[in-house]
Amino acid sequence: MPIEDRDAIRTIGVLTSGGDAPGMNAAIRAVVRNALSHGLKVRGIRRGFHGLLKEEIIDLSARDVSDTIQRGGTILLTARCKSMMTEEGQQKAAAICKKYGIDGLVVIGGDGSFRGAKTLTELGVNVIGIPGTIDLDIACTDYTIGFDTAVNTAMEAIDRVRDTSTSHERCSIIEVMGRDAGYLALWCGIANGAEKIFMPEENDYDEAALVEDIKDCMRRGKKNYIIINAEGVGDSINMAKRIEELTGIDTRATILGYMQRGGSPTCKDRVYASTMGAMAVDLLMEGKRNRVVGYQHGQYVDFDINEALSMKKEISGYQYTISKTLAL
Ligand code: F6P
């Protein structure tokens, strides 16, 4: 790699974008401290691309990220930014990066944030993406920051719902987040031993068959019937009403909502996010440009951002099949 290229990185910008995810602070901290250790200047951009367009840019020191690794949310704040979908917004964002001397911009967020980042690369801004979303729906990586914490939070909450469901011999529908992806639903379904999982990727909702299965399970001595329903399928309240009407069994719906996005990150999220944050800086220092960091088959990897965005991810059909077998 050419030495001039490496020398070109003097200032790094970092922002979090889209839905917050536990572990984002660990990634920010790692970006800041690794960059400082290389003698770089670090600029934190508050409120994602929205804040970039408003020039909400602050200098970050090692002490600014002290005491943050264990905190949920993002100390830089985050936002969803419609203006970044317009050419005018993208041009303005690129111009602001240049104005503040940002030679490399680290974007921590999901697919939507990466699409925003990709437009900046076309306008001459060097970008490194770090996958941060509780949804686990980024194709180039088996791990995304926040999923581990969110899935453990949801699992614990569902265990609690199961206790009360058993006491009352009820059917419970628990709706988990995930937008159009069913990873949270599938993992909780297996981890909580659910009788049924509904997720967008395998939407085989059949009301008559479900009603028969619930009645059959109760006849066979089950004390509850747990359904994990993905946000992408939705309609949990209505589903509960219909099931109660058709089975005569008390049925309740619980929508877990934003509690899944908050809370102190797990050890895994802290360690993986720290590694990815440090790696983003190292990639820039090695002369790499416009990459997305990922974790595949036990290794930290990086891909060209265009390649990363063109990849497709499939949920495990095998895990879905065994989730049914194990619910016997
Ligand atoms: O992408 C994370 C996520 O929590 C999704 O699971 C959910 O669909 C969405 O964000 C909710 O977004 P908002 O915070 O804008 O309501």
Side-chain angles (χ1 to χ4, degrees), residues 80 133-135 177-179 231 258 261:
R80 302 195 190 276
T133 168
I134 64 162
D135 301 337
M177 276 188 164
R179 201 184 291 277
E231 179 185 25
Y258 293 98
R261 282 233 303 255

Short mmCIF file of all heavy atoms in Angstrom, two decimals, residues 80 133-135 177-179 231 258 261, ligand 1:
data_model
loop_
_atom_site.label_atom_id
_atom_site.label_comp_id
_atom_site.label_asym_id
_atom_site.label_seq_id
_atom_site.Cartn_x
_atom_site.Cartn_y
_atom_site.Cartn_z
N ARG A 80 -32.52 8.58 12.53
CA ARG A 80 -32.77 8.10 11.17
C ARG A 80 -32.87 9.37 10.32
O ARG A 80 -33.52 10.33 10.73
CB ARG A 80 -34.05 7.28 11.11
CG ARG A 80 -34.01 6.08 12.06
CD ARG A 80 -35.09 5.08 11.76
NE ARG A 80 -35.19 4.07 12.80
CZ ARG A 80 -34.44 2.97 12.87
NH1 ARG A 80 -33.51 2.75 11.96
NH2 ARG A 80 -34.60 2.09 13.84
N THR A 133 -26.66 -3.46 14.83
CA THR A 133 -28.12 -3.57 14.85
C THR A 133 -28.52 -4.80 15.66
O THR A 133 -27.86 -5.84 15.57
CB THR A 133 -28.72 -3.69 13.43
OG1 THR A 133 -30.10 -4.06 13.55
CG2 THR A 133 -28.02 -4.71 12.55
N ILE A 134 -29.62 -4.66 16.41
CA ILE A 134 -30.09 -5.83 17.17
C ILE A 134 -30.74 -6.86 16.24
O ILE A 134 -31.05 -7.97 16.67
CB ILE A 134 -31.09 -5.43 18.28
CG1 ILE A 134 -32.38 -4.83 17.69
CG2 ILE A 134 -30.45 -4.51 19.30
CD1 ILE A 134 -33.56 -4.81 18.67
N ASP A 135 -30.97 -6.50 14.98
CA ASP A 135 -31.74 -7.38 14.08
C ASP A 135 -30.92 -8.51 13.45
O ASP A 135 -31.49 -9.44 12.90
CB ASP A 135 -32.37 -6.56 12.94
CG ASP A 135 -33.31 -5.48 13.44
OD1 ASP A 135 -33.82 -5.61 14.57
OD2 ASP A 135 -33.54 -4.50 12.71
N MET A 177 -38.71 -7.83 18.36
CA MET A 177 -38.34 -6.91 17.28
C MET A 177 -37.62 -7.65 16.14
O MET A 177 -37.48 -8.87 16.17
CB MET A 177 -37.45 -5.80 17.81
CG MET A 177 -38.22 -4.66 18.42
SD MET A 177 -37.10 -3.31 18.80
CE MET A 177 -38.29 -1.98 19.01
N GLY A 178 -37.12 -6.89 15.17
CA GLY A 178 -36.37 -7.49 14.07
C GLY A 178 -36.72 -6.93 12.71
O GLY A 178 -36.20 -7.40 11.71
N ARG A 179 -37.64 -5.97 12.70
CA ARG A 179 -38.11 -5.39 11.42
C ARG A 179 -38.52 -6.51 10.45
O ARG A 179 -39.40 -7.28 10.80
CB ARG A 179 -37.01 -4.51 10.81
CG ARG A 179 -37.56 -3.49 9.82
CD ARG A 179 -36.45 -2.72 9.18
NE ARG A 179 -35.78 -1.82 10.11
CZ ARG A 179 -36.23 -0.61 10.41
NH1 ARG A 179 -37.30 -0.14 9.86
NH2 ARG A 179 -35.57 0.15 11.27
N GLU A 231 -41.76 -9.25 14.77
CA GLU A 231 -42.35 -7.94 14.44
C GLU A 231 -42.77 -7.88 12.96
O GLU A 231 -43.81 -7.31 12.62
CB GLU A 231 -41.27 -6.88 14.71
CG GLU A 231 -41.67 -5.47 14.41
CD GLU A 231 -40.50 -4.50 14.59
OE1 GLU A 231 -39.33 -4.89 14.48
OE2 GLU A 231 -40.79 -3.32 14.84
N TYR A 258 -39.13 -1.75 22.95
CA TYR A 258 -37.81 -1.11 23.06
C TYR A 258 -36.95 -1.62 24.21
O TYR A 258 -35.76 -1.33 24.24
CB TYR A 258 -37.97 0.41 23.13
CG TYR A 258 -38.49 0.95 21.82
CD1 TYR A 258 -39.84 1.22 21.66
CD2 TYR A 258 -37.65 1.12 20.73
CE1 TYR A 258 -40.34 1.65 20.44
CE2 TYR A 258 -38.13 1.54 19.52
CZ TYR A 258 -39.47 1.81 19.37
OH TYR A 258 -39.95 2.22 18.17
N ARG A 261 -33.85 -3.08 23.05
CA ARG A 261 -32.76 -2.28 22.49
C ARG A 261 -31.87 -1.66 23.56
O ARG A 261 -30.77 -1.19 23.26
CB ARG A 261 -33.34 -1.17 21.61
CG ARG A 261 -33.78 -1.62 20.25
CD ARG A 261 -33.16 -0.81 19.13
NE ARG A 261 -33.40 0.60 19.19
CZ ARG A 261 -34.26 1.26 18.41
NH1 ARG A 261 -34.99 0.62 17.52
NH2 ARG A 261 -34.36 2.55 18.50
O1 F6P B 1 -33.44 -2.00 13.60
C1 F6P B 1 -33.66 -2.08 14.97
C2 F6P B 1 -35.13 -1.93 15.28
O2 F6P B 1 -35.32 -1.99 16.67
C3 F6P B 1 -36.04 -2.91 14.56
O3 F6P B 1 -36.05 -4.17 15.20
C4 F6P B 1 -37.35 -2.18 14.61
O4 F6P B 1 -38.19 -2.58 13.55
C5 F6P B 1 -36.94 -0.75 14.43
O5 F6P B 1 -35.58 -0.66 14.83
C6 F6P B 1 -37.75 0.26 15.20
O6 F6P B 1 -37.32 1.52 14.80
P1 F6P B 1 -37.62 2.88 15.56
O7 F6P B 1 -36.62 3.00 16.66
O8 F6P B 1 -37.40 3.92 14.52
O9 F6P B 1 -39.01 2.80 16.07
#
